Amino acid sequence: MGKDGCDMTFQENKGQRREAGVSIPRETTAMARILNEVAALAFLPAAMFAAYIKIGWPPVAIVGGSGLVAFAVWQRTYLRRPSDPSIILPLFLVTVAALDVHMAEEYLTKFGPAMSRLFDISWTEQSFLLIFAFVGPALYSLTAVGLYYRIPFAGFLAWFIFIGPGVAEFTHFIFPLLKPALSPTMTSSITAYTSNGRVVTDMPNYWIGATGRYYFPGLYTAVLPMIPGIYAIYRLAGRRAKLAVAISTDQTER
């Protein structure tokens, strides 16, 4: 792909006007919007398929639900006019930092194996580390660079993080109430074959009906990424409302 093609796919919208005290970012070209939509639509099914093959359906529901909502919001916001990096980038980095702290609790209390026992899936500690300790941080770093240069696709990934950890983490408060699919009344950890034929070791049981304790891996720190994630949604939605007024005023004056 030549330089022009790269500029269309990964557009750096440096120019912006000010109207009514609000910066108006340059609008993404129609071709750049199409190319970035294609990239997002390719990324989402690929991530869902990989999650289903390697783990099972629960991550697909979470990834797919968060991704579809993020895609719809992104289409109407960042894709059209990428946000000022001074606004969205700190919100993204704080959310990711809080998410990393949250995932430390999940790892220490065996979130993957606990989910495996709960839903009869194969989420091992190795796959948990691969996703959240290696692939995830690499993706977050590239997203941060993309937000700095106002690359539209980076905005999709940012919205995915805001809506996923920002909203979907509430599921941690539901998991202790669900009866595990594997040996629900046995309180000790088990090693067993799951429904897809893979062995998962040391699967703990956190069902309150068996343990008498209301807890699930990640419960204590689940609110940490929710706070900046939800605030980011609120802040960016407010900025978009002001931007819409500024654009309307600018067009009227012209």
Coordinates of all heavy atoms in Angstrom, one line a residue, residues 162-226:
F162 N -13.4 1.0 27.1 CA -14.3 1.8 28.0 C -15.6 1.1 28.3 O -16.1 1.1 29.4 CB -14.7 3.1 27.3 CG -13.5 4.1 27.2 CD1 -13.4 5.0 26.1 CD2 -12.5 4.1 28.1 CE1 -12.4 5.8 25.9 CE2 -11.4 5.0 28.0 CZ -11.3 5.8 26.9
I163 N -16.2 0.4 27.3 CA -17.5 -0.3 27.5 C -17.3 -1.7 28.1 O -18.1 -2.1 28.9 CB -18.2 -0.4 26.1 CG1 -18.6 1.0 25.7 CG2 -19.4 -1.3 26.2 CD1 -19.2 1.1 24.3
G164 N -16.2 -2.4 27.7 CA -15.9 -3.7 28.3 C -15.6 -3.6 29.8 O -16.5 -3.8 30.7
P165 N -14.4 -3.2 30.2 CA -14.1 -3.0 31.6 C -15.0 -1.9 32.3 O -15.2 -2.0 33.5 CB -12.6 -2.6 31.6 CG -12.1 -3.2 30.4 CD -13.2 -3.1 29.4
G166 N -15.4 -0.9 31.5 CA -16.1 0.2 32.1 C -17.5 -0.2 32.5 O -18.1 0.4 33.4
V167 N -18.1 -1.2 31.8 CA -19.5 -1.6 32.1 C -19.6 -3.1 32.4 O -20.2 -3.5 33.4 CB -20.4 -1.2 30.9 CG1 -21.8 -1.7 31.2 CG2 -20.4 0.3 30.6
A168 N -19.0 -3.9 31.6 CA -19.1 -5.4 31.8 C -18.5 -6.0 33.0 O -18.9 -7.1 33.4 CB -18.6 -6.1 30.5
E169 N -17.7 -5.2 33.7 CA -17.1 -5.8 35.0 C -18.1 -6.0 36.1 O -17.9 -6.7 37.0 CB -16.0 -4.9 35.5 CG -14.8 -4.7 34.6 CD -14.0 -6.0 34.5 OE1 -14.2 -6.9 35.3 OE2 -13.2 -6.2 33.6
F170 N -19.3 -5.5 35.9 CA -20.4 -5.7 36.9 C -20.7 -7.2 37.0 O -21.3 -7.6 38.0 CB -21.6 -4.9 36.6 CG -22.5 -5.5 35.5 CD1 -23.5 -6.4 35.9 CD2 -22.3 -5.2 34.2 CE1 -24.3 -7.0 34.9 CE2 -23.1 -5.8 33.2 CZ -24.1 -6.7 33.6
T171 N -20.4 -8.0 36.0 CA -20.7 -9.4 36.0 C -20.0 -10.1 37.2 O -20.4 -11.2 37.6 CB -20.3 -10.1 34.7 OG1 -18.9 -9.8 34.4 CG2 -21.2 -9.6 33.5
H172 N -18.9 -9.5 37.7 CA -18.2 -10.2 38.8 C -19.1 -10.3 40.0 O -18.9 -11.2 40.8 CB -16.9 -9.3 39.1 CG -15.8 -9.6 38.2 ND1 -15.8 -9.1 36.9 CD2 -14.6 -10.2 38.4 CE1 -14.6 -9.4 36.3 NE2 -13.9 -10.1 37.2
F173 N -20.0 -9.4 40.1 CA -20.9 -9.4 41.3 C -22.1 -10.5 41.1 O -22.8 -10.7 42.0 CB -21.5 -8.0 41.5 CG -20.5 -7.0 41.8 CD1 -20.0 -6.2 40.7 CD2 -19.9 -6.8 43.0 CE1 -19.0 -5.2 41.0 CE2 -18.9 -5.9 43.2 CZ -18.5 -5.1 42.2
I174 N -22.2 -11.0 39.9 CA -23.2 -12.0 39.6 C -22.6 -13.4 39.7 O -23.3 -14.4 40.2 CB -23.8 -11.8 38.2 CG1 -24.5 -10.4 38.1 CG2 -24.8 -12.9 37.8 CD1 -25.0 -10.1 36.7
F175 N -21.3 -13.6 39.3 CA -20.7 -14.9 39.3 C -20.8 -15.7 40.6 O -21.0 -16.9 40.6 CB -19.2 -14.8 38.9 CG -19.1 -14.4 37.4 CD1 -18.0 -13.6 37.0 CD2 -20.0 -14.7 36.4 CE1 -17.8 -13.2 35.7 CE2 -19.8 -14.4 35.1 CZ -18.7 -13.6 34.7
P176 N -20.6 -15.1 41.8 CA -20.7 -15.9 43.0 C -22.1 -16.5 43.2 O -22.2 -17.5 44.0 CB -20.4 -14.9 44.1 CG -19.7 -13.8 43.5 CD -20.3 -13.7 42.1
L177 N -23.1 -16.0 42.6 CA -24.4 -16.5 42.8 C -24.8 -17.6 41.8 O -25.8 -18.3 42.0 CB -25.5 -15.3 42.6 CG -25.2 -14.1 43.4 CD1 -26.2 -13.0 43.0 CD2 -25.3 -14.4 44.9
L178 N -23.9 -17.9 40.8 CA -24.2 -18.9 39.8 C -23.7 -20.3 40.3 O -22.5 -20.4 40.8 CB -23.6 -18.5 38.5 CG -24.0 -17.2 37.9 CD1 -23.3 -16.9 36.6 CD2 -25.5 -17.1 37.7
K179 N -24.4 -21.3 40.1 CA -24.0 -22.7 40.4 C -23.1 -23.2 39.4 O -23.4 -23.2 38.2 CB -25.3 -23.6 40.5 CG -25.0 -25.0 41.0 CD -26.3 -25.7 41.2 CE -26.1 -27.1 41.7 NZ -27.4 -27.9 41.8
P180 N -21.9 -23.7 39.8 CA -20.9 -24.2 38.8 C -21.4 -25.4 38.0 O -22.2 -26.2 38.5 CB -19.7 -24.6 39.7 CG -19.9 -23.8 40.9 CD -21.4 -23.7 41.1
A181 N -21.0 -25.5 36.8 CA -21.3 -26.6 36.0 C -20.6 -27.9 36.4 O -21.1 -29.0 36.1 CB -21.1 -26.3 34.5
L182 N -19.4 -27.8 37.0 CA -18.6 -28.9 37.4 C -18.6 -29.1 38.9 O -18.1 -28.1 39.6 CB -17.2 -28.8 36.8 CG -17.1 -28.7 35.3 CD1 -15.7 -28.5 34.9 CD2 -17.7 -30.0 34.6
S183 N -19.0 -30.2 39.4 CA -18.9 -30.5 40.9 C -19.3 -29.3 41.8 O -18.4 -28.8 42.5 CB -17.5 -30.9 41.2 OG -17.1 -32.0 40.5
P184 N -20.5 -28.8 41.7 CA -20.9 -27.6 42.3 C -20.8 -27.7 43.9 O -20.6 -26.6 44.5 CB -22.3 -27.4 41.9 CG -22.8 -28.7 41.5 CD -21.6 -29.4 40.9
T185 N -21.1 -28.8 44.4 CA -21.1 -28.9 45.9 C -19.7 -29.2 46.5 O -19.6 -29.1 47.8 CB -22.1 -30.0 46.4 OG1 -21.7 -31.3 45.8 CG2 -23.5 -29.7 45.9
M186 N -18.8 -29.5 45.7 CA -17.4 -29.8 46.3 C -16.7 -28.5 46.4 O -16.5 -27.8 45.4 CB -16.7 -30.8 45.3 CG -15.3 -31.2 45.9 SD -14.4 -32.2 44.7 CE -15.6 -33.7 44.6
T187 N -16.2 -28.2 47.6 CA -15.6 -26.9 47.8 C -14.1 -26.8 47.5 O -13.5 -25.8 47.3 CB -15.7 -26.5 49.3 OG1 -15.1 -27.5 50.1 CG2 -17.2 -26.3 49.7
S188 N -13.5 -28.0 47.4 CA -12.1 -28.0 47.0 C -11.9 -27.9 45.5 O -12.8 -28.1 44.7 CB -11.4 -29.4 47.5 OG -12.1 -30.5 46.9
S189 N -10.7 -27.5 45.1 CA -10.3 -27.3 43.7 C -10.3 -28.7 43.0 O -10.0 -29.7 43.7 CB -9.0 -26.6 43.6 OG -9.0 -25.3 44.1
I190 N -10.6 -28.7 41.8 CA -10.6 -30.0 41.0 C -9.8 -29.8 39.7 O -9.6 -28.7 39.2 CB -12.1 -30.4 40.7 CG1 -12.7 -29.4 39.7 CG2 -12.9 -30.6 41.9 CD1 -14.1 -29.8 39.2
T191 N -9.4 -30.9 39.2 CA -8.8 -31.0 37.9 C -9.6 -32.0 37.1 O -9.9 -33.1 37.5 CB -7.3 -31.6 38.0 OG1 -6.5 -30.6 38.7 CG2 -6.7 -31.7 36.6
A192 N -10.1 -31.5 35.9 CA -11.0 -32.3 35.1 C -11.0 -31.9 33.7 O -10.5 -30.9 33.3 CB -12.4 -32.1 35.7
Y193 N -11.5 -32.8 32.9 CA -11.8 -32.5 31.4 C -13.0 -31.6 31.3 O -14.0 -31.9 32.0 CB -12.0 -33.8 30.6 CG -10.7 -34.6 30.3 CD1 -10.4 -35.6 31.2 CD2 -9.9 -34.3 29.2 CE1 -9.2 -36.4 30.9 CE2 -8.8 -35.0 29.0 CZ -8.4 -36.1 29.8 OH -7.3 -36.8 29.6
T194 N -12.9 -30.6 30.5 CA -14.0 -29.8 30.2 C -14.8 -30.2 29.0 O -14.4 -31.2 28.3 CB -13.6 -28.3 30.1 OG1 -12.6 -28.2 29.0 CG2 -13.0 -27.8 31.3
S195 N -15.8 -29.5 28.6 CA -16.7 -30.0 27.6 C -16.0 -30.1 26.2 O -16.5 -30.8 25.3 CB -17.9 -29.0 27.5 OG -17.5 -27.7 27.2
N196 N -15.0 -29.3 26.0 CA -14.3 -29.4 24.7 C -13.1 -30.3 24.7 O -12.3 -30.3 23.8 CB -13.8 -28.0 24.3 CG -12.8 -27.4 25.3 OD1 -12.4 -28.0 26.2 ND2 -12.5 -26.1 25.1
G197 N -13.0 -31.2 25.8 CA -12.0 -32.2 25.8 C -10.7 -31.8 26.3 O -9.7 -32.6 26.4
R198 N -10.5 -30.6 26.8 CA -9.2 -30.1 27.4 C -9.2 -30.2 28.9 O -10.3 -30.1 29.5 CB -9.0 -28.6 27.0 CG -8.8 -28.4 25.5 CD -8.3 -27.0 25.2 NE -8.1 -26.8 23.8 CZ -9.0 -26.2 23.0 NH1 -10.2 -25.8 23.4 NH2 -8.7 -26.0 21.7
V199 N -8.1 -30.5 29.4 CA -7.9 -30.6 30.9 C -7.6 -29.2 31.5 O -6.7 -28.5 31.0 CB -6.8 -31.6 31.3 CG1 -6.6 -31.6 32.8 CG2 -7.2 -33.0 30.7
V200 N -8.3 -28.9 32.5 CA -8.0 -27.6 33.3 C -7.7 -28.0 34.7 O -8.5 -28.8 35.3 CB -9.2 -26.7 33.2 CG1 -8.8 -25.4 34.0 CG2 -9.5 -26.3 31.8
T201 N -6.6 -27.6 35.2 CA -6.1 -28.0 36.6 C -6.5 -26.9 37.6 O -6.7 -25.7 37.3 CB -4.6 -28.2 36.6 OG1 -4.0 -26.9 36.3 CG2 -4.2 -29.3 35.6
D202 N -6.7 -27.4 38.8 CA -6.9 -26.5 40.0 C -8.0 -25.5 39.8 O -7.9 -24.3 39.9 CB -5.6 -25.7 40.3 CG -4.5 -26.7 40.8 OD1 -4.8 -27.7 41.4 OD2 -3.3 -26.4 40.4
M203 N -9.2 -26.0 39.5 CA -10.4 -25.2 39.3 C -11.1 -24.9 40.6 O -11.7 -25.9 41.2 CB -11.4 -25.8 38.3 CG -10.8 -25.9 36.9 SD -12.1 -26.5 35.7 CE -12.0 -28.3 36.1
P204 N -11.0 -23.7 41.2 CA -11.6 -23.5 42.5 C -13.1 -23.3 42.4 O -13.7 -23.0 41.3 CB -11.0 -22.2 43.0 CG -10.6 -21.5 41.7 CD -10.3 -22.6 40.7
N205 N -13.8 -23.5 43.5 CA -15.3 -23.3 43.5 C -15.6 -22.0 44.4 O -15.2 -22.0 45.5 CB -16.0 -24.5 44.1 CG -17.5 -24.4 44.1 OD1 -18.0 -23.4 43.6 ND2 -18.1 -25.5 44.5
Y206 N -16.2 -21.0 43.8 CA -16.6 -19.8 44.5 C -18.1 -19.6 44.6 O -18.5 -18.5 45.0 CB -16.0 -18.6 43.8 CG -14.5 -18.5 43.9 CD1 -13.6 -18.9 42.9 CD2 -13.9 -18.0 45.1 CE1 -12.2 -18.8 43.1 CE2 -12.5 -17.9 45.3 CZ -11.7 -18.3 44.2 OH -10.3 -18.2 44.4
W207 N -18.8 -20.7 44.4 CA -20.3 -20.6 44.5 C -20.7 -20.3 45.9 O -20.3 -21.1 46.8 CB -20.9 -21.8 43.9 CG -22.4 -21.8 44.0 CD1 -23.3 -20.8 43.8 CD2 -23.3 -23.0 44.4 NE1 -24.6 -21.2 44.0 CE2 -24.6 -22.5 44.3 CE3 -23.0 -24.3 44.7 CZ2 -25.7 -23.3 44.6 CZ3 -24.1 -25.1 44.9 CH2 -25.4 -24.7 44.9
I208 N -21.4 -19.3 46.2 CA -21.8 -19.0 47.6 C -22.7 -20.1 48.2 O -22.6 -20.3 49.4 CB -22.5 -17.6 47.6 CG1 -22.7 -17.1 49.0 CG2 -23.9 -17.7 46.9 CD1 -23.3 -15.7 49.2
G209 N -23.4 -20.8 47.4 CA -24.2 -21.9 47.9 C -23.4 -23.0 48.5 O -23.9 -23.8 49.3
A210 N -22.1 -23.2 48.1 CA -21.3 -24.2 48.6 C -20.3 -23.7 49.6 O -20.0 -24.3 50.6 CB -20.5 -24.9 47.5
T211 N -19.8 -22.5 49.4 CA -18.7 -21.9 50.3 C -19.3 -21.1 51.4 O -18.6 -20.9 52.4 CB -17.7 -21.1 49.5 OG1 -18.4 -19.9 48.9 CG2 -17.1 -21.9 48.3
G212 N -20.5 -20.5 51.2 CA -21.0 -19.6 52.2 C -20.4 -18.2 52.2 O -20.6 -17.4 53.0
R213 N -19.5 -18.0 51.2 CA -18.8 -16.7 51.1 C -19.1 -16.1 49.7 O -19.1 -16.7 48.7 CB -17.3 -17.0 51.2 CG -16.4 -15.7 51.0 CD -15.0 -16.1 50.9 NE -14.1 -15.0 50.7 CZ -12.9 -15.0 50.2 NH1 -12.4 -16.2 49.8 NH2 -12.2 -13.9 50.1
Y214 N -19.4 -14.8 49.8 CA -19.7 -14.0 48.6 C -18.4 -13.4 48.0 O -18.0 -12.4 48.4 CB -20.7 -12.9 48.9 CG -21.1 -12.1 47.7 CD1 -21.9 -12.6 46.7 CD2 -20.6 -10.8 47.5 CE1 -22.3 -11.8 45.6 CE2 -20.9 -10.0 46.4 CZ -21.8 -10.6 45.4 OH -22.1 -9.8 44.3
Y215 N -17.9 -14.2 47.1 CA -16.6 -13.7 46.4 C -16.4 -14.5 45.1 O -16.9 -15.6 44.9 CB -15.4 -14.0 47.3 CG -14.1 -13.5 46.6 CD1 -13.8 -12.2 46.6 CD2 -13.2 -14.5 46.1 CE1 -12.6 -11.8 45.9 CE2 -12.1 -14.1 45.4 CZ -11.8 -12.7 45.3 OH -10.6 -12.3 44.7
F216 N -15.8 -13.8 44.2 CA -15.3 -14.4 42.9 C -14.1 -13.7 42.5 O -13.9 -12.5 42.8 CB -16.4 -14.3 41.8 CG -16.2 -15.2 40.7 CD1 -16.6 -16.5 40.7 CD2 -15.5 -14.8 39.5 CE1 -16.4 -17.4 39.7 CE2 -15.3 -15.7 38.5 CZ -15.7 -17.0 38.5
P217 N -13.1 -14.4 41.8 CA -11.8 -13.7 41.5 C -12.1 -12.4 40.7 O -12.8 -12.3 39.7 CB -11.2 -14.7 40.5 CG -11.7 -16.0 41.1 CD -13.1 -15.8 41.5
G218 N -11.5 -11.3 41.3 CA -11.6 -10.0 40.7 C -12.7 -9.1 41.3 O -12.8 -8.0 40.9
L219 N -13.4 -9.7 42.2 CA -14.6 -9.0 42.8 C -14.2 -7.7 43.5 O -14.8 -6.6 43.3 CB -15.4 -9.9 43.7 CG -16.6 -9.3 44.4 CD1 -17.7 -9.2 43.4 CD2 -17.1 -10.2 45.5
Y220 N -13.1 -7.8 44.3 CA -12.8 -6.6 45.1 C -12.3 -5.4 44.3 O -12.5 -4.3 44.7 CB -11.7 -7.0 46.1 CG -12.1 -8.0 47.2 CD1 -11.1 -8.9 47.7 CD2 -13.4 -8.1 47.6 CE1 -11.5 -9.8 48.7 CE2 -13.8 -9.0 48.5 CZ -12.8 -9.9 49.1 OH -13.2 -10.8 50.0
T221 N -11.7 -5.7 43.2 CA -11.1 -4.6 42.3 C -11.9 -4.4 41.1 O -11.5 -3.6 40.2 CB -9.7 -4.9 42.0 OG1 -9.6 -6.2 41.3 CG2 -8.8 -4.9 43.2
A222 N -13.1 -5.0 40.9 CA -13.9 -4.9 39.7 C -14.3 -3.4 39.4 O -14.4 -3.0 38.3 CB -15.1 -5.7 39.8
V223 N -14.5 -2.6 40.5 CA -14.9 -1.3 40.3 C -13.8 -0.3 39.8 O -14.1 0.8 39.3 CB -15.5 -0.7 41.6 CG1 -16.8 -1.4 42.0 CG2 -14.5 -0.7 42.8
L224 N -12.6 -0.8 40.0 CA -11.4 0.1 39.6 C -11.5 0.5 38.1 O -11.4 1.7 37.8 CB -10.1 -0.6 40.0 CG -9.8 -0.7 41.5 CD1 -8.4 -1.3 41.6 CD2 -9.9 0.7 42.1
P225 N -11.6 -0.4 37.2 CA -11.7 0.0 35.8 C -13.0 0.5 35.4 O -13.2 1.3 34.5 CB -11.4 -1.3 35.0 CG -11.7 -2.4 35.9 CD -11.4 -1.9 37.3
M226 N -14.1 0.2 36.2 CA -15.4 0.7 36.0 C -15.5 2.2 36.1 O -16.1 2.9 35.4 CB -16.4 0.0 36.8 CG -16.7 -1.4 36.5 SD -17.8 -2.2 37.7 CE -19.3 -1.4 37.3

